[in-house]
Every structure is written in C-alpha cells, then in structure tokens.
Amino acid sequence: MPRGFFSRGHVWPAFTIALILAAISFYLFLIASNWFYLGWSDTLYFFSHPRMWQRFWLTVWTSTVSMALSLLIGIPAGYALSRFSFPCRNLFASIVDLPIVVSPAVIGAFLFGITTRFPFDLIGEHYHLYIGRNIYGVLLVQFTVTCAFCARLMKASFDMIPERFETVSRSLGASHFRTFFKLVLPMARNGIVASAIVVWARAAAEWEGLMLFVGATEGQTDILPFAVYLDWNGGMMGWVSSMTLVCVLMAVAAMAAMRLIGGKSRVW
Amino acid sequence: MSGERNPLAAIGPAAPGRRGAPGDRLLFKTFFYSFAGFLILFSAYLFLANLDQLFVTEAAVRSREPALWEENRKVLTSFAGGFWQDPYFWKSLNLTLMITLITTLLASAIGIPAAYGLSRYRIPGKAVIEVLFSSILVIPASSVALCLIVMFNYGPLWDLQQRWGFRFAHSLFPGMVIASFVLSFALGLSAWKAAFDSVNPRFEQVARSLGSSRWRAFRTVSLPMAKSGLAAGVILAWTRAMAEFSAVLFFCGTFGELPPERFSTLERALRIDQADWLSVAIWAQIEYGNVEYGFALAYILVLIGGLSVYAMHRIGAKGYIW
Amino acid sequence: MIEIRNLSGTVGEFCLQNINLSVRDGEYLVLLGPTGAGKTVLIEYLVGIYRQQEGAILVDGEDVTPLYTEERHIAYVPQDYALFPNLNVSRNIAYGLEARRFPRAEISRITEQMLESLGIGHLRHRMPLNLSGGEKQRVALGRALATRPRLVLLDEPLSALDENLRTQMSRELRDLQQSNRATFVHVCHNFEEASAVADRIAIMDNGCLVQVGTLEQVKAQPRNEFVARFLKTQNLFPAVADGATVRIHGIQLEKKSTIRGERVMAIRPENIRIHPDTESGRPNLFRGVILEAVPRPHFMEYIVDIGLKLAVFHIGERRYRVGDSLGIELPQEHIALVERA
C-alpha cells in the first residue's frame, strides 16, 4: 500500500530533521555571511596585506604558548581530578570550572583586579617582568581561561581509560609513576592531542579579557579576535570581515583536525 | 625436578625493594594533587581576592572626582557602588533574566527535537554537522558577533528589514535574543545530543513493537530516560546565555544612556528600559570608573554561574564545555 | 501463521541468504545457531527495526514488510529485557495496552491478570532497576503478552540468568506459551536450552537456514556435519557408504541406505549400547577397550577404542573401569550419514 511522506509514522522524524536543517542553514549562513559581504577581490586584497599575517602569527604563537602552559598544568591536574577522590568533589570541580562558565568579561575585570597584588607584584619587583598592558597580559588572559578548560578535557580523556589497566600494571610491580608515564599517557595520547587542539582553538578565541585588562597596542597585543573589536570600533569593516573569516577558518580547521584524530570535545 | 628447567626460575623472585615502597604512592599523589591544587587555588584566588574591590577607599574617590566630565551623573561612592539602590541594576537584572529565559526556552524547543534527530536518524554528512557545531563554540565570540552583524545588517536580510520597517540589531527584543541564542543553542544541542546518545535505542524499538508510534515512543520512553541529561543541557544553555558578552555588545550595544522615549511602552511596563545586558553593564561601569559597582555586578554573575555549574555537577551532566 | 519467504538482506557485517521458514499458530519455535549466524538480524527484520532487501514476511497471509514496527503486532523481548526504567512494573506491563488505546478498565483488568498469572503481583509498584534477573524476565514477558501479539520474539531470554534459574524459567516460558496459546520464536545458541522448550527447532549457520524440524527429527537425521556437531553429536567420522555398508578407516558397519559415496558417519553417544559379553553375534558389534571414564551428573561418559575412538554415554548401575574390554554395539537405526560441512 502506498504511503506518503507525511503519513502517521513520519511526522515526528520529518519535524526533527526539518529543525536540524533550519539550524544548520542558519549557522552556515551565519559563518559564511562575511565572505558574501567581502567577495573574492576584497578577500584577496586583505589576505595579501602583511598587517593581517602579522596579527595571524601573533595569535598563533601566543595561543601555542598558552596551550603549552595549560597542558603542563592541565594533564596532571586532569589526571588527579579523574582518579583521586576527595571530599567536596563537586564543590572543587565547580571552582575549577568557574573561569570557563562565567562571562569572559568578568575574567578580564578580575585579572585587572589582581595583577597589582601578591604574586604579581613580587614577580614585577624581582624579575622586572610587568604583566599587564603587554604580551604577558595576553598570555595570562589566555592561560586563565584555557588552563581550567584543559584540565576538564584531560579529565574526560583519562576517564575513558578503565582503571583496571593501572591496577594490573601495579600488580606486575610497576611503580605509580612508571604506570602513569609508560601506560596511562601513551593510552591517552589520542585524547591528549585532540584536547590540545581544542585548547589551542579556545586560546586563539579568547579576547574579552583583553578588553578590560590588557588594552590595545598595535602590533603587540592585538591578536585576531581582539583586532576584530578594535577595527570594528575604528570602522574598518573590510579588515573586520576578513579577520573574522580567518578566525572562522582557524576554528573550523582545528575542529576538523580534532575530529580526524578521533577526539571529542565533550567534557562532562 | 622440572623446576630446574623452568625458565622463570633463572630470574628469581621479584626484587623486594622495588615493590611497595611507601614513598612512591605518597610522592605520586602529592605530585598530582599539587597541580590540581594549583588550579583550584588559582581559580579561588582569582575570584576571592577581588572582594576588596567592592569597598571604596578615600584615595579612589579623590582620584575619580576630577575625571568626571558629566555633571548630571553622580559618583557612586558607597559600598559596591550601592548597586541595590540603583534602578539601573534591577532593570538590567530583569532584562537579562527575561531575555535568557526566552533564549533558553527557544533553544530547548528547537534543540531538543533536533538533538534527538541527530542522535537517532541516519543523516548524511553527520561529521560535517558535528564539526560545524563544535567549531561554533571555538570561533572567537567577537567573530561570531560580527558574523551576526554582517548577516542581519547587510545583504538580503537587511533589505527585508528595510521593507518591513523594523530592525533585528540594536533592539532589546529580537536583537538580544538572537545574540544570546547563537552560542547557547550550539552548546545546548551538544549536551542534548549526548543525553540522547546515552539512551539505548533498544528501548524505543521495544516500545514501538508494543504499538507506540515514534512520537509516543519518544515522549514516553526516551524523553523520561534522558531527563537528567536534558535538564543539564537546559542549565548549560541558560548559563551560556547568561555569560554571553561579545555578541550582545556588538549586535545590540548599550541601552543605559538612551533617552526614555526610545523605549516602547511595553518595555517600560516590563521595567527593562534604559537597562543593559549584565555582562555588558560590568564592562560599561568599569570603563566609566564605577569600579565597585562593576565588581558587584561581576560577583552576581559569578554567583549565578557558580550555582548553575554546581547544579550541573550534581546532576552529572554530559556535553561540551566552551 | 507467520511465513518468511525467500528473505535476504544485509545488516552491517551480517548477511541473510534466502531464508524460508513458517511458524504455525501456537507453536514454540527455537532459532538455534552459533554466535554470528544471523539469528538476531532475522529477529530484527521480523520486528521491523530493519527492512529486508528481498523476500517477504507474511503474517496470516498479509505482507508486513511495508508496515512499521508499531503496526506489525509482533512483540519483542530483547536480551537485556529493556524494561522502561522510568515506569514501575505494572505501568511497564500496561504500556502496550495504553499505546494501543485500550479502554482504561480493560487495561487495569488485563494488567492485573498478567501480574497474577506471572506470580509477580507483589512487585507491581517496584521500579525495574531493583528487580532480580528472573523477575525482570517475567515482567518483560508480561509486557509482551499483554497485548496478545501475533508473535512473540525472544532474543536469548535465558542467557542473562544463572544456571538454576535457567531451567526453572525455561519451564515457565513453556507453560506461559501454552496457557496463553501464544506463538513464540525464541533465539538461542545453546542446544540444551532449545531442547527444553522447543516444539520445533530451526538451525541457522552463516546467514542460512540449515534445517528445520522437531527435536527428534534433527537429532535423528541432521542435515550436515555442522548440525550434527552443533547438536553435540560427538562421534563423527569421515566414511564411505555403498548402500549396504559403511566403511570408516578399517572398520565396516552395516547400514542400509540409499546414500552412496563419501559422507560423514554420525552417531550420538547416548545411542551406543554397551554389552558386557561380546558373544551375542549381533550386527555392528565390536570389541573395545575403555580409555577414559568420566563421571557426569546423570550418566557415565566412556571413551572407548574399537579402532575408532568413540564417546559413549552409559546410564545404569554397572560401572566399568579404564582398561575393561567390552562389546560395543552401534545400532543401525541410530547411524546417520550426513553431508560434509
């Protein structure tokens, strides 16, 4: 017997798929709109300008440095969060998550509030290292946000490895450290690489903190997402659109790479 | 005896010193705890050390006064800027809660069925869809916001608005909802999809073999089974909407300084006129010089964010983080 | 009456080829086969989770292939029972009735009746999460039977239970099927389990239906070496038949049949007779020495060498020891000549 597409059984699937299509077309239109606005020739013009690439490389190296710092702290911290049990787990986990879930403007304000105090004033005095309206400020903002983020991602990667393997390894006489470095880390390698990519992309996307805490110095602190804001305020719509295009491409490339490695950016 | 031919006999018993060394476990735990501890302390320090910014010092008042260039605006020199006395604060809170509520409802209404479809049905190009939605979460918020501006203020959508005589951007109602919806929906979708992924499709197959239609099987089986994950996704979407900053700043701007005539009677009746999105208000107040006021607002956002993330941990949510 | 005609299809790595099977009303059919034979795929085709690429599934003469799962009226009990964790026991049983829009009074009457007949009335307000394996299974059966489906499909229903419960539940399954006059198709990979419940057995291997028949039929005349092996026929030897006799290595057996040529000789260990005295001059009587004697719960298992190493199950008072010399009779009617696998 013939059945139409909208017969009883199909209404619900058709409805859900229609919503998916609507959402996808909205988001695709959203991220492609800049290119429609710019067109080929303008895109080529702005992309061939050294000002763009200077900012691009600034973004790449700052986010790479903050990714490296975050991994250094995040991997062991993620392992501790994943394996050890301690009282008030949920409370501590929420504290770790706070820098990620509150508005990034708040982070900027709070960093602005603490850089004149205890650890930072000592660093400034002894090492003549000023953390504030310079590149170190950029790194601090990126690090603050990505460090917690990285620990959460690492916790998720380590959670996927059953604890059984560690028990077996220790029952065979390997020490805790040996088990971690020779067994757990290699097993989690894919997850760590995938997470590192997400962390990098997240670091390259951070800018709200810079607005309150670092401020603009042409060629020094204007990483791409911040430069989008600065040039938008300056009314340079062409620059803004082309830089947005670069940011979008960076994010999509990072996420595609992460997916190719087989990672998930799922955390909870 | 055969023991002599046993290849293991040549190795002998395990060296006693290498196993069960009491220091090893302690050192190991201390090592890893110290990193986790650093993270927790750093975060706690960041949020607690700023508490004294709420108090006004004499020096700050004196240094601020000459910087004032507008006479009709009074300097807020009480504790935390006296934010509870200021209608601007209450209106902003009102506005933000109202808009985030609408956003969350809208995102759930669209996102939960869409997530169900993504999780259950075979859709071509699912990998591309997943890359798209996960990259939305790592595209810089300023770029997303700018995409919104370009999308609505140029091209066909702008022509449409011209013809109908109304504007998406720089408006309270559709503008702020759109701005906070974009990232909130993408994040919620991933959490809802994860919630449905964790429900075995077998339950629905059984329900359907007993005579349920697809919609009924979804409503009576999958939906209640995924309940806690879905609730966590709603909280996540709401928290993300509350934390939105760039999109609202770019797409809607500030409304606090606009004259009252710019607002409709409905907006005035709802008491959301001359108010700002909370996180934008923080930035605006600190830039203006009302540091205590700004920090008080920031602490309110931290409190809301902390409570909702604690709720998510209690529920045991699954999903992405941004 | 369920009829499967020329059904073929592929799901993932599983592939079904040209399945023809009919299930009579009120019958208990067991679908037997090793892991990966495609039993579960066949079940999934019947339920309507997937559509077969070719062939038809006829229920009472109507082709149900284009129908959705919910329209086929075929109840499905998966391996893990899939009890809805958000509903209590009686709501689980009533689920199908509610979905099929039975009147409310009818729903509560049938649910009560089902709870009563399954002996789980005291569980009615419990949630499925804290039920034992046997209780879960009873609820799942009640849920499937409540709507009086045309067919009940059970996917490995006993494999999640422990050994003792398994025998008890298999008896209950059988009783339930009889008292409800329902049609059951039960999938399993265990011959003992199948023999406890089945009216008929359908044996599958590698996506094909190899043999269908009653337990006695398939035991007496397995279609091929695979079936014989799967039904625990331990004594299998390559043999050459010429119509009157069968030759295995150096041994010649009398066996009248129409089969000629190379085959596999199969005889079940419980059909081999032991004679303490070897002088009776019967056909197919050989002298053998016991190589091994293994006590089993209800019988003795001997490995006897008569030029072939045979496994023999012996029930009886008399015990033999390793090294004893005995007369071993291979009755002609129990010798089966089967195709090589």
Side-chain angles (χ1 to χ4, degrees):
Chain A
M1 54 196 97
R3 263 156 226 279
F5 189 68
F6 285 101
S7 64
R8 317 162 303 307
H10 273 138
V11 174
W12 173 239
F15 176 65
T16 61
I17 289 168
L19 287 180
I20 296 169
L21 285 179
I24 291 168
S25 40
F26 174 74
Y27 281 98
L28 276 181
F29 187 36
L30 181 70
I31 60 176
S33 55
N34 271 293
W35 192 78
F36 294 139
Y37 170 71
L38 268 181
W40 263 118
S41 58
D42 277 8
T43 312
L44 284 178
Y45 169 74
F46 287 113
F47 274 43
S48 59
H49 214 288
R51 187 165 176 254
M52 169 76 85
W53 298 109
Q54 184 207 346
R55 284 166 164 178
F56 173 76
W57 290 115
L58 185 71
T59 316
V60 169
W61 86 255
T62 49
S63 50
T64 308
V65 169
S66 20
M67 177 196 78
L69 288 174
S70 300
L71 285 180
L72 220 58
I73 308 276
I75 292 176
Y79 184 73
L81 287 174
S82 157
R83 287 294 191 270
F84 306 155
S85 61
F86 39 86
C88 307
R89 252 189 101 97
N90 288 337
L91 185 69
F92 285 122
S94 308
I95 292 175
V96 171
D97 282 350
L98 261 186
I100 324 168
V101 296
V102 301
S103 187
V106 174
I107 302 298
F110 281 13
L111 280 174
F112 165 74
I114 63 166
T115 38
T116 51
R117 306 163 191 226
F118 157 59
F120 299 98
D121 56 353
L122 287 183
I123 292 170
E125 228 168 87
H126 291 275
Y127 302 101
H128 304 288
L129 189 71
Y130 168 65
I131 299 178
R133 303 196 163 272
N134 53 15
I135 198 71
Y136 301 114
V138 177
L139 290 177
L140 180 66
V141 171
Q142 289 181 340
F143 173 78
T144 307
V145 179
T146 52
C147 191
F149 187 60
C150 180
R152 297 303 319 233
L153 284 168
M154 290 306 157
K155 178 183 180 298
S157 317
F158 288 126
D159 278 345
M160 272 186 250
I161 300 168
E163 226 170 329
R164 221 174 44 243
F165 291 105
E166 284 152 77
T167 317
V168 169
S169 157
R170 281 207 292 277
S171 78
L172 292 171
S175 70
H176 283 82
F177 280 106
R178 194 186 171 77
T179 305
F180 179 74
F181 287 108
K182 295 272 167 179
L183 185 79
V184 180
L185 270 190
M187 279 177 79
R189 195 186 57 209
N190 257 17
I192 289 174
V193 173
S195 312
I197 294 174
V198 185
V199 168
W200 183 87
R202 184 67 187 80
E206 182 57 33
W207 77 278
E208 292 93 335
L210 302 178
M211 203 161 118
L212 274 168
F213 172 53
V214 181
T217 314
E218 172 88 29
Q220 276 188 45
T221 63
D222 52 347
I223 59 171
L224 276 178
F226 190 30
V228 168
Y229 169 75
L230 295 173
D231 283 1
W232 186 66
N233 267 358
M236 298 190 269
M237 205 55 198
W239 276 112
V240 175
S241 281
S242 52
M243 282 190 296
T244 298
L245 216 54
V246 175
C247 287
V248 168
L249 287 177
M250 256 161 62
V252 172
M255 283 295 134
M258 183 209 72
R259 230 198 110 82
L260 275 182
I261 291 169
K264 282 189 173 130
S265 61
R266 248 175 225 160
V267 170
W268 277 308
Chain B
M1 289 299 286
S2 63
E4 288 159 17
R5 283 188 295 163
N6 184 352
L8 289 175
I11 300 168
R18 290 188 47 218
R19 264 200 318 183
D24 174 46
R25 193 178 158 73
L26 192 67
L27 189 66
F28 181 75
K29 283 218 158 190
T30 319
F31 178 76
F32 284 99
Y33 268 136
S34 61
F35 285 99
F38 167 79
L39 209 60
I40 292 169
L41 285 180
F42 180 59
S43 178
Y45 179 70
L46 182 67
F47 288 101
L48 292 178
N50 282 302
L51 273 173
D52 71 341
Q53 298 276 5
L54 299 177
F55 299 94
V56 188
T57 55
E58 276 304 312
V61 175
R62 246 177 287 124
S63 68
R64 211 174 289 159
E65 241 147 32
L68 270 180
W69 62 91
E70 266 179 79
E71 278 157 19
N72 57 353
R73 189 153 170 173
K74 67 174 188 291
V75 200
L76 304 164
T77 47
S78 51
F79 167 73
F83 69 87
W84 60 91
Q85 297 160 340
D86 191 1
Y88 172 74
F89 164 73
W90 292 110
K91 282 178 177 175
S92 299
L93 190 66
N94 198 0
L95 172 76
T96 313
L97 290 178
M98 219 176 268
I99 297 288
T100 49
L101 188 71
I102 296 171
T103 305
T104 314
L105 286 179
L106 198 65
S108 315
I110 299 172
I112 291 178
Y116 177 81
L118 272 179
S119 157
R120 281 290 184 279
Y121 304 130
R122 266 179 302 166
I123 296 167
K126 212 176 237 186
V128 178
I129 299 173
E130 268 171 35
V131 169
L132 174 70
F133 278 107
S134 53
S135 52
I136 291 287
L137 300 174
V138 291
I139 292 177
S142 57
S143 302
V144 173
L146 203 99
C147 288
L148 272 177
I149 291 269
V150 174
M151 179 175 168
F152 284 103
N153 279 8
Y154 298 88
L157 279 179
W158 177 246
D159 299 338
L160 211 68
Q161 291 171 61
Q162 289 286 316
R163 199 171 309 148
W164 290 346
F166 98 130
R167 278 200 309 178
F168 283 111
H170 302 288
S171 64
L172 284 182
F173 172 60
M176 277 192 179
V177 172
I178 291 168
S180 57
F181 176 84
V182 175
L183 289 171
S184 157
F185 176 80
L187 197 67
L189 187 76
S190 69
W192 293 318
K193 181 172 178 296
F196 284 123
D197 281 344
S198 69
V199 176
N200 192 339
R202 183 117 303 177
F203 287 98
E204 266 176 65
Q205 288 159 5
V206 169
R208 291 185 60 205
S209 85
L210 293 168
S212 287
S213 64
R214 285 183 219 243
W215 157 245
R216 197 191 150 85
F218 165 76
R219 187 169 56 83
T220 56
V221 178
S222 296
L223 199 62
M225 280 179 75
K227 197 171 51 188
S228 68
L230 295 179
V234 172
I235 299 176
L236 200 61
W238 181 73
T239 316
R240 188 65 189 86
M242 282 300 280
E244 191 54 71
F245 171 71
S246 324
V248 177
L249 179 70
F250 275 65
F251 195 60
C252 307
T254 54
F255 296 86
E257 304 293 314
L258 291 180
E261 311 86 73
R262 284 287 306 276
F263 300 93
S264 68
T265 36
L266 179 68
E267 282 160 357
R268 260 176 280 172
L270 289 171
R271 294 184 55 74
I272 53 174
D273 58 319
Q274 289 184 300
D276 280 327
W277 190 253
L278 265 186
S279 56
V280 176
I282 296 172
W283 165 79
Q285 291 300 326
I286 292 177
E287 291 282 287
Y288 183 72
N290 286 325
V291 179
E292 297 82 14
Y293 198 126
F295 273 81
L297 297 189
Y299 270 108
I300 284 163
L301 274 192
V302 169
L303 202 66
I304 291 172
L307 284 178
S308 54
V309 81
Y310 182 72
M312 276 187 279
H313 279 289
R314 283 295 296 273
I315 296 173
K318 281 197 167 42
Y320 292 74
I321 200 167
W322 64 92
Chain C
M1 178 91 171
I2 316 294
E3 255 190 289
I4 301 168
R5 276 196 204 149
N6 306 326
L7 182 140
S8 305
T10 310
V11 174
E13 293 165 18
F14 297 103
C15 176
L16 293 185
Q17 290 154 13
N18 202 22
I19 306 271
N20 278 293
L21 178 68
S22 64
V23 189
R24 293 177 208 119
D25 285 336
E27 186 180 39
Y28 202 126
L29 182 93
V30 173
L31 211 54
L32 194 62
T35 317
K39 299 163 295 185
T40 305
V41 176
L42 184 55
I43 287 270
E44 285 170 340
Y45 280 146
L46 283 169
V47 181
I49 297 169
Y50 304 111
R51 298 255 161 92
Q52 70 270 17
Q53 273 89 343
E54 283 171 46
I57 299 166
L58 304 174
V59 178
D60 298 329
E62 180 206 359
D63 188 3
V64 297
T65 310
L67 297 184
Y68 300 124
T69 304
E70 57 264 36
E71 296 162 335
R72 294 190 177 192
H73 226 290
I74 291 174
Y76 171 46
V77 180
Q79 194 170 354
D80 52 2
Y81 312 131
L83 294 177
F84 305 132
N86 51 315
L87 304 175
N88 67 18
V89 167
S90 61
R91 288 291 308 278
N92 255 292
I93 290 177
Y95 186 90
L97 301 167
E98 285 168 11
R100 294 204 189 281
R101 307 255 153 74
F102 276 55
R104 190 156 307 165
E106 191 79 342
I107 291 176
S108 60
R109 189 183 63 78
I110 295 173
T111 308
E112 279 308 308
Q113 199 184 325
M114 222 63 235
L115 286 165
E116 204 63 41
S117 70
L118 288 160
I120 48 173
H122 57 289
L123 301 173
R124 85 188 54 185
H125 298 303
R126 292 263 293 275
M127 296 312 265
L129 202 65
N130 36 33
L131 294 181
S132 73
E135 288 165 347
K136 272 186 195 169
Q137 172 155 56
R138 287 197 189 101
V139 179
L141 281 169
R143 185 178 63 181
L145 286 169
T147 50
R148 306 217 139 266
R150 298 193 277 198
L151 175 66
V152 180
L153 295 170
L154 306 159
D155 191 1
E156 312 237 351
L158 302 174
S159 59
L161 306 177
D162 66 52
E163 191 63 47
N164 291 332
L165 203 55
R166 205 175 296 173
T167 32
Q168 190 201 331
M169 280 313 298
S170 63
R171 208 172 305 130
E172 274 185 38
L173 270 177
R174 181 79 210 179
D175 291 345
L176 212 59
Q177 185 256 340
Q178 295 285 334
S179 61
N180 282 282
R181 287 191 292 282
T183 314
F184 273 32
V185 170
H186 172 146
V187 166
C188 73
H189 56 254
N190 184 330
F191 169 60
E192 276 85 13
E193 188 182 316
S195 57
V197 290
D199 286 327
R200 284 198 307 154
I201 295 180
I203 297 164
M204 284 185 73
D205 181 35
N206 229 343
C208 297
L209 199 61
V210 184
Q211 192 172 8
V212 187
T214 62
L215 184 65
E216 286 69 33
Q217 279 169 358
V218 290
K219 263 162 84 172
Q221 190 48 257
R223 172 72 56 83
N224 62 20
E225 195 184 338
F226 163 78
V227 175
R229 212 176 278 284
F230 196 72
L231 300 183
K232 304 264 171 75
T233 306
Q234 278 135 298
N235 303 313
L236 292 165
F237 304 99
V240 180
D242 63 3
T245 59
V246 177
R247 265 179 294 113
I248 309 154
H249 302 310
I251 295 178
Q252 188 157 357
L253 293 171
E254 284 183 28
K255 167 73 181 172
K256 288 200 177 59
S257 69
T258 53
I259 300 165
R260 281 159 210 283
E262 292 196 0
R263 288 287 190 278
V264 172
M265 193 279 286
I267 184 161
R268 298 186 68 81
E270 64 266 29
N271 292 334
I272 298 176
R273 290 187 203 132
I274 290 181
H275 298 277
D277 47 334
T278 56
E279 315 310 324
S280 53
R282 287 159 176 261
N284 292 348
L285 186 68
F286 299 93
R287 168 160 288 279
V289 182
I290 296 181
L291 299 176
E292 268 180 63
V294 187
R296 299 282 182 203
H298 307 297
F299 55 86
M300 285 294 291
E301 180 179 348
Y302 299 112
I303 307 294
V304 185
D305 189 5
I306 58 164
L308 304 167
K309 278 184 191 168
L310 289 175
V312 181
F313 293 166
H314 180 61
I315 306 169
E317 289 298 301
R318 183 131 184 224
R319 293 285 169 99
Y320 302 98
R321 280 189 305 255
V322 174
D324 284 358
S325 178
L326 300 166
I328 303 293
E329 187 192 346
L330 284 70
Q332 211 187 117
E333 66 273 23
H334 290 308
I335 293 175
L337 293 171
V338 303
E339 299 282 345
R340 286 206 190 163

